[in-house]
Amino acid sequence: MEILDVLEKYPEEWVESFLKKVTGERIEEILKKEDLSLEDYLSLLSPAAKNYLEEMAVRAHKKNLQHFGKTILLYTPLYISNYCVNECVYCGYNKHSDIPRKKLSLEEIDREAKIISDKGIQHILLLSGESPVDTSIEYLEEVVEVLKKYFQSIAIEIYPLKEEGYRRLVQKGVDGVTLYQEVYDRGIYQKLHPKGPKRNYDFRIKALERAIKGGVASVNLGALLGLSDFRKEAFYTGVHSKYLLDTYPSVATSVSFPRMQPYLGGYEDIDPVHDQDFVQILLAYKIFMPMTGITLSTREEPALRENLIPLGITKMSAGVSTAVGGHSSDKENTEQFEISDNRSIEEVKESILKKGYQPILQDWVPL
Amino acid sequence: MKKRQYGGILMKNKDQLQLGDHFFNSRLLVGTGKYENHDIMKKSIEASGTEMVTMALRRGDLKNPKENVLNFIPENMTLLPNTSGARNAEEAIRIAKIARAAGCGNFIKIEVISDQKYLLPDNYETIKATKALASEGFHVLPYMSPDLMAAKEMEKAGAKAVMPLGSPIGSNRGIENKGLIKILINEIKVPIIVDAGIGKPSHAAEAMELGAKAVLVNTAIAASKDPIEMARAFDYAVKAGRLAYLSKFGEVKARGDASSPLTGFLRKEQ
């Protein structure tokens, strides 16, 4: 069964009415269970489960400790190009956005990579807008060649490729792919992606499977929370991640629950996800899929990031600039979105240690 | 990195664990993952009385001495690098070679996991990796699902011990595969080391009482509230279990054993 068929088993209306019917009793039953079903996960996302956050936190903490111990893996994103042919209405890289466009040369990438690697980072996440002309596979291959000199693990967060494209990048040294569906609700997806290749929902949702067939060892998925009803979006994220783990058990699956952040000239039709809701989502997911990782970005404030550590987070970004070339220069106005945690890698490491967790800089050897 | 000593020497009248030509006084092997920091890890290793420490090569930050886990493993420990992260034999072999080239010695724990859900080892790929690495002079300790035929293959391929799981990694569920592990203990000549699933000192003692030659413990120590004291508790438990095993148990009987047998009168009549 393919992912689209699996998602179809859980139509929006069904999810909505299910969420309304969940009772406190049901939550208490679920919290006693060892293995959870998708329906159990959905129940934990319901408004009724809000009254059980502390119980859920205890459970999520315990489960995460068993699977990941007291460790947090650190990585740094590297933005290499903000050229983009898409028109995502919520994104700062939107083709019509009046921002300076920039694509890093290999020399500039070398310089940025050296700065990041000198701070001890071994896991890098390469990001770019979607522009097959400006950021072609050939260019990306060369970029990976440069990064290989500095990092043990290279992941990409770029536009969806065909299987062959992934295979070529894996051969150069890429081991992970991050790709957010942005929004699982198809109607809203079409509305928010009016033009450009990204309008193709199906091509995007199947991209992680093409990446897996192309040979990557890990995938990270998610939805931009705030674009649609967050409970439904978090549920579909869980459906997708369970599907990937069931279908490709040798691949390490992890998820992110990025909350929409304002950007310059911004999109304002955001359904806010409050901290309490955000925590509920993280806990529900961790209890449902304790063996998979949760990545937390610098979209979140330092204090919240710190408090979330014991609740099931396994991976965090640090020392982040979302501007192209932002590690080696101070150029402004090219950020994809505003970040909330501007701390240095050293500061993030220290705060993790203070929380009783070990920051991990390396968790992979290139094979 | 300073040169480490690998394995102790044979001592007379001492109950030692033998792995190939190497002898160990402690029958507790410990891991290095999941600790809150390197300092607590180091102290826990010391408190456990262990002489052999396993570490994931993929975590060994060789470029960065401040972060390199190797620098926090006490120097008198024998290293047992593991191939965690490998999804097939080929990857395990490559990781093993990187470990040896990095100065981690000849011991290697093969861990091939192609299932991220239950983290169960892939016996088939593990056998292949055992064959390849043993023929290249590695002292191979394969981590496996307790299956007699697979264990025999690993032994035949040159494994220096066989490491069946008690229950899935990190599950703390104890020796769920007791019957199958007992069969391995009875049938396999190289030492059986129970690895994974041991959640409490009593589980470790149980494995030793069963006749395992050693146990490997990580999560139960590292993820506990006080890893240093927990490491000490495991040291005692492994010693107690071993001593009990050597002392031979009284036979376990299904029926009560009345001190004045009910049918005693029959004997009197003879």
Side-chain angles (χ1 to χ4, degrees):
Chain A
M1 199 181 275
E2 293 201 22
I3 179 60
L4 289 170
D5 304 322
V6 177
L7 287 168
E8 261 176 32
K9 280 169 57 188
Y10 306 98
E12 304 263 327
E13 311 74 53
W14 178 85
V15 174
E16 274 164 32
S17 78
F18 188 99
L19 281 168
K20 281 185 205 141
K21 279 185 270 172
V22 179
T23 60
E25 265 170 25
R26 171 153 187 153
I27 302 297
E28 282 168 30
E29 283 302 309
I30 291 169
L31 289 175
K32 285 184 216 144
K33 284 174 73 171
E34 190 56 38
D35 297 307
L36 271 63
S37 66
L38 270 165
E39 283 80 3
D40 294 333
Y41 172 51
L42 183 55
S43 305
L44 294 183
L45 290 169
S46 71
K50 265 191 183 173
N51 303 323
Y52 295 88
L53 285 190
E54 184 56 30
E55 288 89 336
M56 285 169 68
V58 170
R59 173 78 185 261
H61 169 70
K62 248 189 171 161
K63 282 272 164 196
N64 197 59
L65 212 53
Q66 266 180 28
H67 285 272
F68 294 92
K70 299 169 205 162
T71 63
I72 300 282
L73 180 68
L74 293 182
Y75 72 99
T76 296
L78 171 62
Y79 284 74
I80 59 165
S81 165
N82 61 1
Y83 284 95
C84 195
V85 297
N86 287 312
E87 302 180 22
C88 316
V89 300
Y90 52 84
C91 178
Y93 283 2
N94 183 324
K95 166 179 170 183
H96 299 300
S97 242
D98 187 20
I99 54 164
R101 299 289 170 169
K102 167 106 185 131
K103 166 186 152 184
L104 297 182
S105 68
L106 296 179
E107 292 70 40
E108 286 169 318
I109 287 172
D110 195 291
R111 202 155 54 230
E112 294 253 316
K114 187 169 183 334
I115 290 168
I116 298 169
S117 136
D118 282 349
K119 292 174 184 156
I121 288 290
Q122 295 280 12
H123 286 242
I124 195 90
L125 175 65
L126 179 70
L127 290 101
S128 93
E130 174 155 11
S131 176
V133 177
D134 296 294
T135 43
S136 64
I137 300 278
E138 290 72 25
Y139 166 73
L140 293 167
E141 281 179 323
E142 289 173 344
V143 172
V144 173
E145 285 277 4
V146 173
L147 296 179
K148 238 182 354 197
K149 291 193 293 184
Y150 296 101
F151 304 103
Q152 294 286 315
S153 168
I154 303 169
I156 52 172
E157 184 170 348
I158 60 167
Y159 53 96
L161 305 176
K162 292 182 184 153
E163 187 179 324
E164 181 53 25
Y166 287 119
R167 184 166 296 116
R168 282 171 62 180
L169 294 180
V170 166
Q171 269 159 13
K172 288 288 172 192
V174 166
D175 56 77
V177 170
T178 289
L179 189 78
Y180 299 152
Q181 186 62 21
E182 319 290 22
V183 55
Y184 283 91
D185 181 312
R186 203 182 268 272
I188 296 177
Y189 185 94
Q190 298 302 343
K191 211 176 82 194
L192 298 179
H193 306 100
K195 275 187 189 151
K198 193 164 170 181
R199 197 167 161 73
N200 190 338
Y201 180 100
D202 293 2
F203 187 70
R204 191 173 186 87
I205 207 159
K206 291 180 186 168
L208 289 173
E209 292 178 73
R210 293 194 298 274
I212 290 169
K213 287 172 189 156
V216 300
S218 65
V219 292
N220 189 69
L221 62 147
L224 268 175
L225 300 182
L227 295 179
S228 170
D229 175 357
F230 68 85
R231 295 180 203 278
K232 281 192 276 179
E233 290 296 315
F235 174 65
Y236 292 128
T237 304
V239 173
H240 195 178
S241 90
K242 183 178 183 327
Y243 165 80
L244 290 175
L245 187 64
D246 287 345
T247 317
Y248 309 96
S250 71
V251 175
T253 302
S254 57
V255 300
S256 305
F257 292 104
R259 288 197 280 183
M260 271 303 289
Q261 296 294 336
Y263 76 101
L264 291 168
Y267 174 69
E268 283 178 359
D269 188 14
I270 296 173
D271 182 23
V273 181
H274 300 293
D275 284 358
Q276 202 188 357
D277 306 324
F278 184 55
V279 168
Q280 185 185 352
I281 294 169
L282 295 174
L283 297 176
Y285 181 81
K286 182 47 73 168
I287 296 170
F288 172 50
M289 296 276 275
M291 69 297 274
T292 61
I294 300 181
T295 307
L296 186 66
S297 79
T298 51
R299 288 166 186 269
E300 304 300 338
E301 301 278 348
L304 179 66
R305 294 225 298 167
E306 217 165 278
N307 286 324
L308 292 177
I309 289 173
L311 301 187
I313 301 301
T314 56
K315 203 170 160 183
M316 276 175 142
S317 52
V320 177
S321 163
T322 68
V324 176
H327 292 277
S328 51
S329 77
D330 306 322
K331 276 202 196 114
E332 280 174 14
N333 293 340
T334 62
E335 284 106 338
Q336 189 185 21
F337 57 87
E338 289 169 27
I339 62 171
S340 306
D341 183 352
N342 289 299
R343 292 174 301 169
S344 68
I345 292 161
E346 268 319 303
E347 286 168 325
V348 173
K349 273 165 69 180
E350 244 162 63
S351 87
I352 293 172
L353 280 166
K354 247 183 29 212
K355 202 79 195 165
Y357 279 67
Q358 184 190 163
I360 302 269
L361 292 168
Q362 184 185 324
D363 192 27
W364 188 253
V365 276
L367 294 170
Chain B
M1 201 170 75
K2 281 186 199 160
K3 184 126 180 68
R4 285 173 187 271
Q5 193 189 332
Y6 288 98
I9 46 162
L10 175 63
M11 291 159 97
K12 255 194 169 169
N13 300 325
K14 190 119 190 179
D15 173 44
Q16 289 179 303
L17 167 67
Q18 182 177 1
L19 299 172
D21 302 332
H22 299 274
F23 298 87
F24 300 88
N25 294 317
S26 168
R27 292 176 180 273
L28 172 61
L29 283 65
V30 298
T32 51
K34 302 185 176 176
Y35 281 98
E36 70 174 88
N37 61 50
H38 289 326
D39 183 51
I40 290 182
M41 178 193 85
K42 183 166 190 254
K43 288 181 177 142
S44 304
I45 292 172
E46 284 164 349
S48 74
T50 189
E51 292 169 326
M52 187 174 237
V53 177
T54 190
M55 36 79 62
L57 181 86
R58 63 175 178 161
R59 283 272 168 92
D61 195 340
L62 304 172
K63 278 192 204 158
N64 195 344
K66 238 174 78 189
E67 304 290 342
N68 190 349
V69 67
L70 288 175
N71 294 332
F72 296 87
I73 300 174
E75 281 189 7
N76 52 347
M77 299 292 149
T78 295
L79 294 179
L80 176 60
N82 66 59
T83 65
S84 151
R87 293 166 296 167
N88 52 46
E90 199 190 324
E91 289 179 352
I93 292 164
R94 267 188 276 175
I95 294 175
K97 288 179 180 170
I98 296 172
R100 183 150 77 176
C104 296
N106 274 330
F107 277 103
I108 187 83
K109 176 184 152 188
I110 299 182
E111 198 175 311
V112 178
I113 292 179
S114 52
D115 155 52
Q116 298 294 326
K117 200 185 229 178
Y118 300 102
L119 296 178
L120 291 172
D122 184 328
N123 281 352
Y124 177 71
E125 291 292 314
T126 303
I127 293 167
K128 282 203 279 185
T130 303
K131 269 186 197 150
L133 290 170
S135 72
E136 292 197 34
F138 281 91
H139 307 319
V140 181
L141 279 61
Y143 168 60
M144 52 105 63
S145 279
D147 172 83
L148 179 60
M149 299 313 139
K152 280 186 174 171
E153 284 293 315
M154 290 169 195
E155 183 177 38
K156 207 168 85 190
K160 295 285 190 258
V162 172
M163 307 179 84
L165 58 94
S167 49
I169 296 186
S171 70
N172 291 336
R173 297 212 300 249
I175 320 294
E176 289 185 338
N177 301 312
K178 199 169 175 177
L180 294 173
I181 288 175
K182 184 67 189 168
I183 291 172
L184 299 194
I185 289 170
N186 291 344
E187 301 301 326
I188 302 294
K189 288 172 198 74
V190 295
I192 297 298
I193 301 174
V194 176
D195 183 357
I198 292 178
K200 305 174 189 172
S202 55
H203 296 155
E206 185 185 5
M208 297 307 295
E209 287 170 4
L210 204 61
K213 291 287 193 292
V215 295
L216 192 151
V217 180
N218 180 44
T219 308
I221 296 175
S224 70
K225 268 250 155 58
D226 187 343
I228 301 169
E229 286 301 300
M230 190 57 89
R232 218 186 303 279
F234 269 100
D235 181 25
Y236 293 143
V238 170
K239 284 178 177 149
R242 177 66 183 171
L243 214 52
Y245 172 75
L246 293 176
S247 313
K248 303 271 192 270
F249 292 98
E251 193 188 340
V252 179
K253 292 173 183 169
R255 294 177 298 176
D257 200 358
S259 36
S260 314
L262 299 175
T263 51
F265 66 94
L266 293 175
R267 254 168 260 152
K268 274 181 204 156
E269 280 178 9
Q270 277 175 352

